[in-house]
């Protein structure tokens, strides 16, 4: 029987496949306290203290609850400087569940992005990808490359209902290859799922077509596999050909289409810290294994403690478990459907790691220079202490050549759901707060920058009310 039927009955609710054995109190603040906290944070939700936050939907990165098995694994940490047994356990897990040959552990995803960018990109290269991600694009630029978005147009339209908005537009890629020549394109950068598009999956059909095209031109595919299990679940649900496959087999099939992968294990893989670079090519592995000792640590720990590698090895096995992934995505979709029913403008279809509010439609009285998504994230915090994240013009940064703001079509606020942390009642409170903010949306004013750092400005910028 297919694994998706195994779980008793498809018609039943997505209830959590775990029970809670430890709790962490959260603080409910007054509006007055939140006014002070937000103003001290320069209207940037990244600069709030978590103590001042009630329900923290800033990110699903490193915020998951580990299982009792993972905690038990933490106790089995082998903290040897070299050759820790936890490294070999992790290497086995990466080979078995993802299918890549070589593993280079890192402290988190961007360290792997740094290494692969430095190894593969030369000055003047073009790196096409299915929408930008902030850290990925920055490392490509720092290595001398230019990122070019080749995602399908539907991904830039919050209302378009395409089931695989993470797909690549192969015509756009062919045009780039014709324009620049395949030698200027070291690899295509493919994310599963696409974070900035709203957590949207890519189909295996599209990925296999991309593989063919890349093989034809001898171009590599580097896979940002940060949320690959979530992507695989959406393939099982919506790509007919794979409806009988297990999520775990689909994950391997996705990875098999690609040559290397960067992983922020803080998401799908259910750990609070960790990541890796995985590659099939022996020569690239050799370079990465040498580079990791410069920036991270020895190649058998690369920035992680032994206990962290153990928790990650166990987290990988849990991440592809059907009951887990169904409940994880089910919770996100529960919140999304609630907001859709209340008439709130959100990115559709609902993605897998969060619900993304369409700030342009939410606040039509603000233009993009008035930073609508940043303003909306602040307004939500003021209403209820729910912390969200801007994913619009602030996140998109500036064009490195002209110095002008990049103006993305998508101006979004991300309500990101940590894994195994919040309950359905928390989701209800979030929905009630968004509805209240929507009812009073005309009163929300814009913001302007008063401090802007050079790199990844959204993390540390400060703002003032207009
Ligand atoms: C997040 F506001 N994501 O979504 P690292 N690829 C992908 C990610 O989602 C990702 C990384 C690579 C975060 C944390 C974060 O603009 C931001 O382990 C698809 O964070 O180094 C991280 O992995 C990088 C938040 C990162 C941001 C960048 O919340």
């Amino acid at each position: 029987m297919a694994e998706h039927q195994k779980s008793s009955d498809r018609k039943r609710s997505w209830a959590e496949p775990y029970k809670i054995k430890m709790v962490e109190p959260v603080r409910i603040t007054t509006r007055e306290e939140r006014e002070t906290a937000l103003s001290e944070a320069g209207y940037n939700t990244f600069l709030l203290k978590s103590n001042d936050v009630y329900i923290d939907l800033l990110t699903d990165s490193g915020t998951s609850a580990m299982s009792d098995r993972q905690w038990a694994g933490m106790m089995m940490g082998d903290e040897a400087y070299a050759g820790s047994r936890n490294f070999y356990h992790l290497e086995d897990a990466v080979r078995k569940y993802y299918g890549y040959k070589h593993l280079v552990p890192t402290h988190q995803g961007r360290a792997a992005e740094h290494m692969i960018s430095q190894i593969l990109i030369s000055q003047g290269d073009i790196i096409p990808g299915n929408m930008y991600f902030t850290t990925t694009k920055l490392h490509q630029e720092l290595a001398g490359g230019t990122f070019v978005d080749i995602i399908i147009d539907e991904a830039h339209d919050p209302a378009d209902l395409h089931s695989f908005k993470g797909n690549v537009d192969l015509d756009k890629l062919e045009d780039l290859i014709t324009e620049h020549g395949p030698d200027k394109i070291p690899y295509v950068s493919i994310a599963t799922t696409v974070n900035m598009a709203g957590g949207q999956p890519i189909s295996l059909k599209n990925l296999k077509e991309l593989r063919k095209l890349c093989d034809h031109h001898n171009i590599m595919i580097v896979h940002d596999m940060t949320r690959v299990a979530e992507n695989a679940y959406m393939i099982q649900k919506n790509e007919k050909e794979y409806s009988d496959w297990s999520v775990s087999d689909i994950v391997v099939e996705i990875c098999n289409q690609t040559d290397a992968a960067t992983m922020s294990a803080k998401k799908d893989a259910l750990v609070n810290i960790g990541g890796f670079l995985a590659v099939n090519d022996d020569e690239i592995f050799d370079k990465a294994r040498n580079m990791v000792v410069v920036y991270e640590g020895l190649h058998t720990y690369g920035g992680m403690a032994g206990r962290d590698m153990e928790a990650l090895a166990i987290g990988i096995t849990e991440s592809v478990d059907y009951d887990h992934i169904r409940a994880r995505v089910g919770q996100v979709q529960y919140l999304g459907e609630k907001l859709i029913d209340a008439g709130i403008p959100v990115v559709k279809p609902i993605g897998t790691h969060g619900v993304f509010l369409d700030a342009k439609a939410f606040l039509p009285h603000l233009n993009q220079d008035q930073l609508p998504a940043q303003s909306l994230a602040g307004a939500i915090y003021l209403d209820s202490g729910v912390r969200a994240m801007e994913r619009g013009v602030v996140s998109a940064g500036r064009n490195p050549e002209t110095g002008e703001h990049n103006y993305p079509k998508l101006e979004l606020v991300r309500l990101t759901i940590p894994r195994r942390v919040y309950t359905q009642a928390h989701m209800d409170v979030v929905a009630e707060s968004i509805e209240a903010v929507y009812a009073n949306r005309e009163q929300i004013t814009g913001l302007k920058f008063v401090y802007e750092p050079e790199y990844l400005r959204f993390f540390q910028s400060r703002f003032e009310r207009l």
Side-chain angles (χ1 to χ4, degrees):
M1 192 185 289
E3 80 178 342
H4 58 272
Q5 289 160 340
K6 174 199 84 178
S7 207
S8 56
D9 186 342
R10 283 210 107 178
K11 289 186 200 111
R12 302 237 173 125
S13 154
W14 52 268
E16 296 83 351
Y18 52 82
K19 54 188 179 175
I20 297 165
K21 81 166 109 190
M22 189 190 281
V23 297
E24 176 186 344
V26 290
R27 196 163 81 92
I28 302 178
T29 50
T30 63
R31 186 169 178 114
E32 209 175 18
E33 286 170 327
R34 294 193 291 275
E35 284 279 4
T36 307
L38 188 64
S39 135
E40 282 174 359
Y43 297 89
N44 184 348
T45 53
F46 277 106
L47 300 179
L48 287 166
K49 293 178 181 151
S50 93
N51 224 17
D52 295 326
V53 173
Y54 171 31
I55 300 174
D56 201 347
L57 305 189
L58 182 71
T59 177
D60 63 333
S61 180
T63 53
S64 298
M66 291 208 297
S67 66
D68 50 1
R69 282 176 224 179
Q70 286 178 290
W71 280 108
M74 295 285 279
M75 293 296 164
M76 305 292 280
D78 169 6
E79 307 306 341
Y81 188 88
S84 159
R85 69 172 168 266
N86 311 119
F87 167 77
Y88 297 105
H89 187 189
L90 177 59
E91 190 180 52
D92 286 346
V94 168
R95 286 182 179 152
K96 178 172 172 194
Y97 291 97
Y98 301 140
Y100 296 110
K101 188 170 165 195
H102 299 297
L103 164 72
V104 183
T106 60
H107 76 285
Q108 58 182 74
R110 68 198 72 181
E113 293 172 343
H114 170 225
M115 289 194 292
I116 199 71
S117 302
Q118 292 294 329
I119 291 168
L120 296 181
I121 299 172
S122 306
Q123 191 66 38
D125 279 351
I126 304 290
I127 300 91
N130 58 347
M131 200 172 272
Y132 88 99
F133 187 70
T134 53
T135 57
T136 321
K137 178 168 173 260
L138 175 62
H139 282 296
Q140 291 162 353
E141 287 170 355
L142 290 172
T146 302
F147 174 84
V148 179
D149 188 5
I150 55 162
I151 205 165
I152 55 171
D153 289 340
E154 288 88 335
H156 293 280
D157 176 0
D160 194 290
L161 291 173
H162 196 297
S163 319
F164 291 101
K165 282 168 122 176
N167 281 357
V168 166
D169 184 331
L170 297 167
D171 292 336
K172 287 185 190 167
L173 179 56
E174 292 219 61
D175 289 350
L176 266 186
I177 296 171
T178 309
E179 187 185 344
H180 299 277
D183 294 348
K184 280 272 167 220
I185 303 178
Y187 63 89
V188 175
S189 184
I190 289 301
T192 56
T193 55
V194 181
N195 194 345
M196 303 300 281
Q200 303 292 332
I202 178 172
S203 72
L204 256 170
K205 177 170 185 283
N206 183 254
L207 189 54
K208 288 185 173 181
E209 285 167 1
L210 173 71
R211 178 75 267 175
K212 243 192 224 156
L213 181 61
C214 288
D215 281 346
H216 182 70
H217 294 284
N218 203 19
I219 295 172
M220 290 180 32
I221 300 176
V222 175
H223 176 200
D224 179 342
M225 62 180 300
T226 296
R227 296 180 182 85
V228 68
E230 292 177 6
N231 197 120
Y233 175 71
M234 296 310 281
I235 287 174
Q236 190 199 58
K237 252 180 101 168
N238 294 328
E239 205 172 343
K240 264 206 197 101
E241 218 183 316
Y242 300 95
S243 61
D244 288 342
W245 288 45
S246 69
V247 169
S248 185
D249 287 345
I250 296 172
V251 166
V252 174
E253 187 76 354
I254 292 171
C255 296
N256 279 346
Q257 310 309 313
T258 68
D259 301 287
T262 55
M263 173 61 142
S264 171
K266 301 168 71 173
K267 286 80 165 174
D268 239 20
L270 296 160
V271 289
N272 305 120
I273 193 72
F276 57 78
L277 174 66
V279 297
N280 292 331
D281 183 90
D282 297 340
E283 240 174 80
I284 297 172
F285 171 58
D286 208 49
K287 286 185 185 165
R289 195 169 64 151
N290 192 211
M291 192 178 248
V292 80
V293 299
V294 180
Y295 294 104
E296 296 279 294
L298 195 77
H299 56 277
T300 55
Y301 73 85
M304 270 187 282
R307 55 180 171 270
D308 296 329
M309 291 190 284
E310 191 59 27
L312 172 52
I314 299 166
I316 289 171
T317 68
E318 293 180 0
S319 75
V320 296
D321 175 77
Y322 177 75
D323 290 336
H324 158 71
I325 198 74
R326 173 173 178 264
R328 189 284 183 278
V329 176
Q331 186 178 41
V332 173
Q333 310 230 327
Y334 171 82
L335 175 61
E337 295 304 328
K338 250 191 130 95
L339 293 179
I340 290 173
D341 289 349
I344 310 290
V346 298
V347 174
K348 293 180 200 157
I350 302 300
T352 61
H353 70 299
V355 178
F356 291 64
L357 305 175
D358 177 359
K360 281 186 186 170
F362 204 113
L363 303 175
H365 58 285
L366 298 185
N367 66 46
Q368 223 168 351
D369 281 316
Q370 295 168 313
L371 317 179
Q374 192 73 46
S375 309
L376 180 54
I380 294 166
Y381 173 73
L382 284 182
D383 180 72
S384 56
V386 169
R387 168 154 71 171
M389 184 195 290
E390 195 267 6
R391 295 280 81 170
V393 62
V394 177
S395 294
R398 291 179 185 272
N399 180 316
E401 263 144 46
T402 64
E404 295 297 313
H405 291 304
N406 294 315
Y407 291 97
K409 283 199 186 128
L410 295 175
E411 177 75 24
L412 309 175
V413 170
R414 187 180 75 172
L415 301 161
T416 341
I417 316 299
R419 294 164 189 78
R420 309 191 292 205
V421 170
Y422 291 113
T423 65
Q424 188 160 330
H426 285 121
M427 298 301 109
D428 293 343
V429 169
V430 172
E432 286 159 15
S433 172
I434 305 297
E435 283 173 52
V437 173
Y438 192 62
N440 293 308
R441 59 192 180 277
E442 289 89 3
Q443 287 162 27
I444 298 172
T445 54
L447 294 169
K448 64 170 188 203
F449 279 94
V450 290
Y451 167 70
E452 182 184 342
E454 187 177 357
Y455 300 116
L456 303 173
R457 64 181 182 177
F458 51 88
F459 282 133
Q460 293 151 336
S461 283
R462 300 183 69 83
F463 307 91
E464 260 171 22
R465 277 195 176 125
L466 286 174

